[in-house]
Amino acid sequence: MRGYNKLHMYTSTIMVYQRMKSAEIVLDFGCYCQIMEAYNKIGDTDKAVKLFLEFETRKLDSTPFPKQMYRILFESLGKSGRAFEALKFFRDMTRKGISGDSSMYASLICSFASIREVKEAEELFKEAAEKRLLRDPEVFLKVVLMYIEQGLVEKTLEIVVAMKDAKVKVSDCILCAIVNGFSKRRGYWAAVKVYEQLISQDCIPGQVTYASIINAYCRIGLYSKAEMVFQEMEKMGFDKCVVAYSSMVAMYGKTARLRDAMRLVAKMKAKGCEPNVWIYNALMDMHGKAKNMRQVEKLWKEMKRKKVIPDKVSYTTIISAYNKVREFEMCVNFYNEFRMNGGVIDRAMAGIMVGVFSKLSRIEELVKLLRDMKSEGTRLDERLYSSSLNAMRDAGLQMQAEWLQQNFEGT
């Protein structure tokens, strides 16, 4: 059975156990441990717990291996959401004179953190820290995620202190979780502040954290900081992060730095990192604002050739670009393609197409657009309402104008 478990052939271990049981072969402690582990690994935690209870009633001599079975028990109970039962067994174990080890504390803390029982997780965490038994990085990550989910993001910084005290490296995963937690719960300014605080404490970011903080700097307009961190990220060897490239290209778009954006994308491609839909959208938006339709069309064709699926923003961007150069028929063609692909009309798309259909005097299509908006639950703002109403009145369509007033006025 030990051999099967080492090979992850847990069902074979269980088959051996069932044959032993039918042959009425008495199990020793080692057998119980192997079978419990097998049931635990395949997710049948109830049977693992049942075997532990059976073992206890038999009172077998298990002096050489007292902790192994408890470790499996705590893990099994934790997996099935029975953390409080695991804690009860743990306290009973310590009363019997068996001391808890780092893996037991890790299992218990992770179990309580997973079900967001902050008080019990904190007590066990403190207890393990006092005994110098905090060694598993997963424990720290689980507690950090628990605090973030509960909105207690400031407490995540205490975990960083505990990790340093335990001489456990603050991983990129934990650093990123904290930065993103502050972004979500306290906003981008708070995320930037906590990032800079953690860096001052010698925490070393990795690719994921770099990407997150570049996005945060871009969101609050600290563009020079974003560029500085991006350059630092490249020097550290993280030069193939599409998310970071996306943030930088979008930033260049906001600051009208079209050449810098194109150079960055060329550099990205040279390193074998393919642009995603966000990057294509940002580039098309920049060229569209510059009325450079040749580049817009080139980017759209490149997207299709590389099988990057356009999203709602992609269609809105290219339709907006054609609208700027008054190529309204192209706007209609892309709008129809968008709808054929299952696209849902939002205010941005409606804002462009109401104007397009009005300018082309295609009132029937305008009415259909408005009906589709109504059925899809998209509200019509005052500007679009006035534009649509005027178009219908100018076309002498009083009945359609009355329908519009009845269905959209006051929205």
Side-chain angles (χ1 to χ4, degrees):
M1 287 191 283
R2 185 183 296 111
Y4 282 138
N5 283 356
K6 283 183 178 179
L7 294 171
H8 298 179
M9 297 170 64
Y10 302 115
T11 54
S12 297
T13 298
I14 293 166
M15 285 175 62
V16 171
Y17 161 61
Q18 289 168 345
R19 288 178 183 175
M20 290 175 69
K21 193 174 180 182
S22 63
E24 298 183 351
I25 298 173
V26 178
L27 305 178
D28 62 10
F29 171 77
C31 289
Y32 274 104
C33 280
Q34 298 302 326
I35 300 160
M36 279 181 66
E37 182 182 359
Y39 276 124
N40 178 46
K41 293 296 185 181
I42 67 170
D44 198 341
T45 54
D46 286 341
K47 285 185 179 176
V49 175
K50 186 178 178 182
L51 278 165
F52 177 86
L53 297 174
E54 179 185 313
F55 171 79
E56 270 202 323
T57 59
R58 291 186 58 192
K59 299 187 185 329
L60 294 177
D61 181 14
S62 59
T63 306
F65 315 95
K67 293 186 179 182
Q68 186 178 350
M69 189 173 283
Y70 278 106
R71 291 190 192 104
I72 301 168
L73 174 68
F74 300 151
E75 188 178 335
S76 296
L77 288 169
K79 281 182 179 178
S80 56
R82 296 155 67 183
F84 285 97
E85 284 184 61
L87 182 58
K88 183 179 180 298
F89 278 112
F90 179 72
R91 297 306 182 200
D92 288 342
M93 181 194 79
T94 55
R95 279 193 289 271
K96 293 174 184 176
I98 304 170
S99 59
D101 59 22
S102 61
S103 64
M104 291 178 183
Y105 275 106
S107 179
L108 290 165
I109 294 167
C110 289
S111 296
F112 280 108
S114 295
I115 60 174
R116 309 298 182 246
E117 291 290 346
V118 176
K119 181 183 175 184
E120 286 73 17
E122 283 183 331
E123 287 176 356
L124 286 162
F125 188 91
K126 182 180 178 183
E127 190 178 312
E130 289 172 351
K131 294 178 180 179
R132 315 298 292 179
L133 293 175
L134 288 176
R135 297 167 192 163
D136 187 350
E138 185 185 358
V139 175
F140 299 101
L141 177 59
K142 286 279 188 181
V143 176
V144 163
L145 294 175
M146 175 189 72
Y147 281 141
I148 291 169
E149 286 296 318
Q150 297 300 107
L152 305 170
V153 288
E154 287 75 16
K155 280 184 167 285
T156 60
L157 301 179
E158 297 175 14
I159 304 304
V160 173
V161 174
M163 292 184 76
K164 288 185 172 294
D165 185 55
K167 293 182 172 52
V168 176
K169 180 185 176 182
V170 181
S171 67
D172 183 43
C173 189
I174 288 176
L175 199 58
C176 178
I178 294 172
V179 170
N180 287 339
F182 271 87
S183 293
K184 181 180 177 181
R185 297 287 184 172
R186 302 288 182 268
Y188 291 112
W189 278 103
V192 164
K193 185 177 178 181
V194 79
Y195 170 77
E196 292 175 352
Q197 180 183 334
L198 291 168
I199 295 304
S200 70
Q201 295 172 2
D202 298 323
C203 292
I204 301 173
Q207 178 171 294
V208 182
T209 304
Y210 275 125
S212 295
I213 201 61
I214 288 169
N215 176 59
Y217 278 129
C218 290
R219 294 277 186 171
I220 59 178
L222 295 179
Y223 301 134
S224 59
K225 282 272 193 179
E227 283 190 286
M228 183 178 70
V229 173
F230 182 77
Q231 290 166 7
E232 180 185 317
M233 184 184 92
E234 286 187 303
K235 287 179 183 176
M236 294 294 288
F238 305 118
D239 56 356
K240 292 185 179 180
C241 180
V242 179
V243 177
Y245 280 114
S246 299
S247 296
M248 293 301 296
V249 171
M251 183 202 80
Y252 288 139
K254 289 178 184 176
T255 53
R257 295 168 61 181
L258 181 53
R259 289 184 181 178
D260 288 332
M262 294 300 289
R263 275 196 292 265
L264 183 61
V265 173
K267 182 180 179 182
M268 174 186 177
K269 289 178 179 177
K271 292 182 178 181
C273 192
E274 291 297 326
N276 60 12
V277 69
W278 300 339
I279 291 175
Y280 280 114
N281 291 347
L283 291 174
M284 286 193 296
D285 182 60
M286 283 184 267
H287 286 294
K289 287 175 179 175
K291 297 183 179 181
N292 186 348
M293 295 310 300
R294 183 179 177 183
Q295 277 296 331
V296 172
E297 290 165 359
K298 182 180 176 181
L299 287 163
W300 185 266
K301 289 175 182 177
E302 184 180 312
M303 274 180 74
K304 292 295 187 75
R305 188 174 68 253
K306 294 191 174 182
K307 298 182 180 179
V308 178
I309 299 172
D311 60 10
K312 185 188 293 184
V313 177
S314 308
Y315 280 103
T316 305
T317 301
I318 197 166
I319 291 170
S320 176
Y322 278 113
N323 185 47
K324 281 183 173 65
V325 296
R326 303 185 68 79
E327 291 191 32
F328 302 129
E329 289 295 341
M330 291 298 294
C331 293
V332 174
N333 292 340
F334 277 104
Y335 172 74
N336 289 336
E337 181 182 320
F338 170 71
R339 293 295 283 169
M340 283 178 63
N341 289 334
V344 177
I345 306 166
D346 61 7
R347 288 196 184 190
M349 180 68 77
I352 302 168
M353 294 311 299
V354 164
V356 168
F357 287 135
S358 298
K359 288 164 188 170
L360 290 172
S361 299
R362 291 162 74 159
I363 306 304
E364 287 186 10
E365 289 171 86
L366 173 58
V367 171
K368 185 178 185 308
L369 166 69
L370 296 171
R371 288 185 186 277
D372 289 343
M373 287 178 65
K374 183 73 175 177
S375 65
E376 292 171 13
T378 304
R379 295 171 66 85
L380 199 66
D381 62 27
E382 187 176 343
R383 182 181 63 83
L384 293 178
Y385 172 79
S386 299
S387 177
S388 303
L389 188 62
N390 290 335
M392 290 175 184
R393 284 173 173 168
D394 291 345
L397 301 173
Q398 190 59 36
M399 187 179 296
Q400 286 83 348
E402 288 175 3
W403 171 84
L404 178 65
Q405 288 176 307
Q406 290 170 2
N407 285 274
F408 287 98
E409 192 168 25
T411 62

